[in-house]
Amino acid sequence: MYHAPVSADPPPEEVSPVEIPEQDVGHDGASARLREADVQNGQAEVSALFAPFFALAGAGSALLAGWAMFESVNPIFIVGWLAAVAGGHWFTYRRAINVAEASGSRSAPMRAAWIPVAEAMGLAVIWCALPAYGFGSALAASQVVIGGAMGAMIIAAVTLAAVPAAAIAWIGAMTLALSIAYFLGTPTIDPKIPATIAAIAAIAAFGVTRLSGWTHSQLRALAKVRSQAEAVRLLLREYEHRGVGWLWQVDSENRVVYISSRMTALLGRSTSQLIGHSLPASLGGNSALGRTLLARQPFTNLEMELKTRRGPRWISLAGDPIIDMGGHFQGFRGVGSDITEVRKTQERLTNLANMDVLSGLPNRGRVRQLLGEALSTAQATNVPCAIMFLDLDGFKPVNDTFGHPKGDAVLKSVAQRLVKEVGDAGHVGRMGGDEFAIVIKDGQGRKGVEDLAARLISAVAAPYHIDKVEIRIGVSIGCAFGPIDGQTVDDLIQKADLALYQAKNQGRGTCCYFNDDMRSVAEHKLRLEQDLSNAIGAGQLRLMYQPLIRASDQTLVGFEALIRWHHPTRGMVSPAEFIPLAEETGLIMNLGDWVIEEACRAASTWPDNITVAVNLSARQLVLPALPATVNAALSRYKVQANRIELEVTETVFLEDTAGSLDVLKRLRALGVGIALDDFGTGYSSLGYLNKAVFHKLKIDGSFVREAARSKETVAIIQSIVQLANSFRMTITAEGVETADDFTRMRDLGCHQIQGYLFGRPMSYERASELVHGTVRKSA
């Protein structure tokens, strides 16, 4: 009997768990239809499975009923009926088998639900016809046999439970026929008999319902598993066909059971040459793969290199152990992929991450790695390594004068010269900007390191010819030895940096080697930096004021504010010591803000004709917010802008010229004065005097002192005065210590005088007394 299409194939082999993504809403209908087809296929399989038992039960019960009716019914009728019953059961049995075979595919057409019901009803009518007819004429004992046979067929409906509607139709038809036969063929009605018939029918219906529910749940679960397995199969097929990767499977002895054609093509061998052979051996005897398979645990991203006809290739394997229903290990199945291009891309990215693009040398990060490797080797072998830090001397003017393209060309040439000189003795890297580093693997011979340093200095100092332009620079070198000077990479780098700082201070173009004196200097510098950061809040800083005198009548016109630091334990710390430190560490910003604040506060207590000059660091001029800071201080103390002068030295033009000049112009726009201090002693800045920024030039004290014995110096001062007058600038002579110096500077045309002759730097209180004494004297 037909009970819905089902595949006759055995249940699919258990596969490793694979998460199948949920279908989107647009596929719900199609998925439901596919699952319904799987359920009907399962019904057909179950029906075909029970069809022989149903046919045997029907034939046996029919023979029993025929034997009971043999004395009361014409034997010809009995034989014909038995033949009809046998034919009907044979028909339904073959139909069930054929439908099950035909329903092995999801594409098989689905039959209408009423067909199995109609078949069950038809067979029931054939089966009940003669027993119902002959029941009344049979003896009582025969009636019991006939009723028992029909009751047995009612119970046999459980074999039709795969299609519950057909089973219920069968129970109903058989029960109705038995009831009619009893009521029409028995003169007296015993209530126990109808109750028994009803109970048998109820039990059969209950059994069919329960069995049908369980069968359907199992079939739906099986359909879901088949749907997932089919999805996995399709995904894996697409995985292979699209060239994403390949599949493999081995047995419990690691022998290849299945392997994709893509892998055989990669290895340049046929499938028959791999099937049955050890997978690790087929892949070149990789020991890591062998150990992994022996562990019998899931694994991923196992990378290995293969030797193929196309050259070395890299593959990545992942696999899961196959465990059967009994918990026994059956082998591995998994996926693999060719990651050769991925590896090449990773190597290129790694090279880019470790390489300086401009010079092609290892960058800062890679230099640290190389130094770490050299240091580890040195610690293991007791053969010291060395690290050299190189900083180019005079390179910034190259960029400023010739432009960055030529500067980059010089850096490339420097890199080439360094690599040539170092050779196999070490690794040359670029730390950034105009800084380079050299990691020397064997630094045991200090003389060899010193000779290398001398050759490097000589090589870098040789002229560079870039686009018919000759450029000359130098280099300073700091060197430290590991593990003698430091046990870690950071420690060695710090020591080499200290040595480089010392080389710069010694006049450049030299090489210095780290020693304990440098450590002491560094520690002193660090403590001083920490103390300076606390000095502002602790009230240890103060401003001293040196008078500015008008040359024509020796009248006090203002002061220059000079910062002093009174340390609680060190005493007075020279500005020459802490100002460069503040510039180097960035503390100059806070320090400069405090000086501007204090100068404006002092000016607010003095008459309007008294000016206050404040020195600015070149580092302060890189801050776009400086004009806002000055303006805020002027507003807070209600000081007129023209009473504050900001003094800068010629070194500002060695820094960010455009940015510094912009800040100076914005300061000048506020109304404050801008003075060029120590004019003539530094960078040639004559080109900036016509930028309408400076209102005053201050002649350095060295010119004042030299003028007493050098006519050339006098001529220089005259030129400076003439130049300043042409720009309508005020000229101040600094360092005037004698009356002769005063007379000479006044006669040369200086407008203001500053120096010990008229007063050393003094406290705010002493300056206030001087101001008020001058005011009273004028009054």
Side-chain angles (χ1 to χ4, degrees):
M1 172 173 291
Y2 169 75
H3 296 292
V6 176
S7 170
D9 297 335
E13 180 185 1
E14 181 181 359
V15 297
S16 301
V18 178
E19 291 293 333
I20 303 301
E22 293 292 334
Q23 300 288 338
D24 58 43
V25 176
H27 292 99
D28 284 349
S31 298
R33 287 193 296 273
L34 290 176
R35 284 194 293 269
E36 187 62 31
D38 286 334
V39 170
Q40 288 197 1
N41 290 344
Q43 289 176 324
E45 288 182 353
V46 174
S47 296
L49 180 65
F50 284 100
F53 301 101
F54 182 70
L56 290 174
S61 297
L63 286 173
L64 187 61
W67 173 72
M69 295 184 295
F70 194 77
E71 296 179 355
S72 59
V73 178
N74 190 330
I76 297 176
F77 289 167
I78 294 175
V79 173
W81 173 73
L82 288 175
V85 170
H89 276 293
W90 174 257
F91 172 79
T92 55
Y93 165 72
R94 289 307 308 168
R95 188 142 183 96
I97 297 300
N98 293 336
V99 169
E101 292 176 351
S103 63
S105 171
R106 288 177 168 178
S107 60
M110 296 175 59
R111 297 189 67 191
W114 62 268
I115 294 179
V117 177
E119 290 178 351
M121 289 294 293
L123 183 59
V125 168
I126 294 174
W127 211 102
C128 295
L130 190 62
Y133 167 76
F135 187 85
S137 59
L139 298 175
S142 297
Q143 288 181 340
V144 172
V145 174
I146 295 171
M150 296 183 72
M153 290 308 297
I154 292 174
I155 297 299
V158 296
T159 62
L160 307 178
V163 184
I168 296 300
W170 176 269
I171 292 171
M174 295 298 293
T175 302
L176 179 62
L178 181 57
S179 299
I180 292 174
Y182 176 72
F183 283 108
L184 296 180
T186 306
T188 58
I189 302 299
D190 185 352
K192 296 179 182 177
I193 300 301
T196 301
I197 295 173
I200 292 173
I203 292 172
F206 177 77
V208 166
T209 303
R210 295 288 294 176
L211 184 58
S212 176
W214 179 84
T215 302
H216 269 255
S217 66
Q218 294 300 310
L219 290 176
R220 291 192 179 279
L222 182 60
K224 185 176 181 180
V225 171
R226 282 179 171 171
S227 179
Q228 290 183 341
E230 178 67 13
V232 170
R233 185 180 66 82
L234 293 175
L235 286 173
L236 292 179
R237 178 188 297 175
E238 183 174 2
Y239 179 80
E240 282 192 294
H241 289 178
R242 287 186 177 272
V244 178
W246 41 272
L247 308 177
W248 59 272
Q249 183 173 334
V250 297
D251 60 17
S252 58
E253 300 297 328
N254 295 332
R255 292 186 295 260
V256 177
V257 175
Y258 172 82
I259 195 163
S260 299
S261 58
R262 287 180 52 80
M263 185 56 187
T264 60
L266 178 66
L267 295 174
R269 301 165 68 181
S270 65
T271 303
S272 60
Q273 290 177 307
L274 296 176
I275 297 296
H277 293 80
S278 167
L279 180 63
S282 300
L283 298 182
N286 189 281
S287 59
L289 176 59
R291 290 192 300 269
T292 302
L293 294 178
L294 289 175
R296 297 184 177 182
Q297 296 294 324
F299 64 92
T300 58
N301 299 326
L302 178 61
E303 298 183 1
M304 65 188 69
E305 186 178 14
L306 300 180
K307 304 298 183 181
T308 71
R309 295 177 180 177
R310 293 186 293 169
R313 307 291 293 182
W314 280 88
I315 64 171
S316 175
L317 295 180
D320 286 303
I322 304 172
I323 308 297
D324 63 14
M325 298 298 291
H328 301 105
F329 174 74
Q330 298 297 321
F332 269 91
R333 66 163 58 93
V335 298
S337 58
D338 186 344
I339 60 170
T340 305
E341 296 305 320
V342 175
R343 293 272 302 197
K344 290 180 178 178
T345 300
Q346 290 175 343
E347 290 175 1
R348 286 195 294 268
L349 292 176
T350 301
N351 289 335
L352 287 175
N354 292 325
M355 182 186 70
D356 173 64
V357 178
L358 176 64
S359 64
L361 299 177
N363 60 13
R364 179 184 293 272
R366 181 56 179 158
V367 168
R368 290 179 60 88
Q369 293 176 1
L370 293 171
L371 179 58
E373 295 169 3
L375 185 58
S376 298
T377 302
Q379 292 169 335
T381 61
N382 292 324
V383 176
C385 63
I387 174 69
M388 285 183 170
F389 270 16
L390 296 81
D391 187 86
L392 300 183
D393 301 328
F395 178 73
K396 189 179 186 307
V398 173
N399 274 338
D400 294 341
T401 305
F402 302 108
H404 287 280
K406 284 188 173 59
D408 290 346
V410 170
L411 290 176
K412 291 179 183 178
S413 298
V414 169
Q416 293 169 0
R417 295 184 185 185
L418 295 179
V419 170
K420 180 179 178 181
E421 291 297 332
V422 173
D424 296 331
H427 301 280
V428 180
R430 181 173 176 234
M431 305 298 283
D434 58 353
E435 297 179 354
F436 293 83
I438 299 174
V439 177
I440 301 174
K441 294 172 286 189
D442 184 356
Q444 189 167 15
R446 186 182 180 107
K447 182 65 166 58
V449 176
E450 293 174 349
D451 291 343
L452 174 61
R455 294 199 309 271
L456 293 173
I457 293 172
S458 176
V460 174
Y464 300 82
H465 296 89
I466 310 294
D467 295 335
K468 299 180 180 180
V469 175
E470 182 177 287
I471 299 174
R472 291 181 179 271
I473 58 173
V475 65
S476 296
I477 303 176
C479 183
F481 294 86
I484 302 169
D485 296 328
Q487 299 287 328
T488 66
V489 170
D490 289 332
D491 199 14
L492 270 181
I493 287 177
Q494 181 187 23
K495 302 300 174 53
D497 202 35
L498 288 173
L500 176 61
Y501 183 80
Q502 182 70 19
K504 286 286 191 182
N505 288 339
Q506 286 186 0
R508 308 188 177 190
T510 61
C511 178
C512 287
Y513 300 87
F514 177 79
N515 55 48
D516 289 336
D517 291 340
M518 294 181 190
R519 188 197 308 272
S520 300
V521 171
E523 291 173 352
H524 171 77
K525 181 179 176 182
L526 180 61
R527 288 194 297 269
L528 193 64
E529 177 186 345
Q530 294 172 344
D531 292 345
L532 181 59
S533 65
N534 299 324
I536 299 176
Q540 299 172 10
L541 300 176
R542 65 189 64 178
L543 288 184
M544 305 293 282
Y545 299 89
Q546 187 172 24
L548 280 170
I549 305 299
R550 185 185 297 119
S552 59
D553 57 6
Q554 300 184 28
T555 301
L556 178 67
V557 294
F559 295 94
E560 179 178 359
L562 303 169
I563 191 169
R564 296 293 184 265
W565 179 14
H566 189 275
H567 193 279
T569 58
R570 302 172 189 259
M572 294 300 297
V573 181
S574 169
E577 184 176 0
F578 73 82
I579 292 297
L581 178 63
E583 291 180 328
E584 182 180 340
T585 59
L587 291 174
I588 193 65
M589 311 306 177
N590 294 334
L591 202 62
D593 291 348
W594 179 85
V595 170
I596 292 171
E597 186 83 8
E598 284 297 302
C600 289
R601 186 189 64 80
S604 68
T605 64
W606 295 333
D608 291 344
N609 64 316
I610 300 299
T611 63
V612 178
V614 174
N615 289 284
L616 286 185
S617 166
R619 294 293 179 90
Q620 289 176 270
L621 291 177
V622 302
L623 293 177
L626 180 61
T629 301
V630 174
N631 190 46
L634 292 173
S635 301
R636 187 176 300 111
Y637 294 103
K638 297 180 175 55
V639 176
Q640 295 179 3
N642 62 1
R643 294 185 57 205
I644 300 297
E645 293 180 358
L646 302 177
E647 296 185 2
V648 297
T649 64
E650 296 171 305
T651 57
V652 300
F653 302 113
L654 293 174
E655 304 295 336
D656 179 16
T657 302
S660 301
L661 191 59
D662 178 67
V663 172
L664 288 174
K665 287 181 177 179
R666 291 169 56 205
L667 288 169
R668 193 74 178 98
L670 293 177
V672 300
I674 307 294
L676 186 57
D677 198 9
D678 300 334
F679 184 77
T681 62
Y683 183 79
S684 179
S685 55
L686 298 179
Y688 291 95
L689 294 182
N690 62 350
K691 300 294 184 180
V693 174
F694 300 103
H695 86 296
K696 177 186 288 188
L697 290 184
K698 300 187 72 174
I699 299 175
D700 187 69
S702 60
F703 285 97
V704 174
R705 290 185 292 274
E706 285 292 323
R709 54 182 178 273
S710 172
K711 294 182 180 180
E712 290 79 6
T713 301
V714 171
I716 292 174
I717 295 175
Q718 289 175 332
S719 298
I720 292 175
V721 170
Q722 184 179 1
L723 178 65
N725 286 331
S726 66
F727 287 111
R728 298 181 181 179
M729 294 180 183
T730 301
I731 303 103
T732 299
E734 297 180 296
V736 175
E737 299 179 356
T738 65
D740 290 340
D741 290 340
F742 166 71
T743 302
R744 188 178 302 106
M745 292 300 104
R746 181 192 60 189
D747 294 344
L748 287 173
C750 294
H751 306 110
Q752 295 177 355
I753 304 296
Q754 178 181 348
Y756 288 172
L757 178 64
F758 294 98
R760 294 175 177 271
M762 60 189 70
S763 66
Y764 165 76
E765 293 76 14
R766 178 72 184 90
S768 295
E769 292 177 3
L770 182 61
V771 169
H772 296 308
T774 301
V775 172
R776 284 194 298 271
K777 188 179 298 184
S778 300

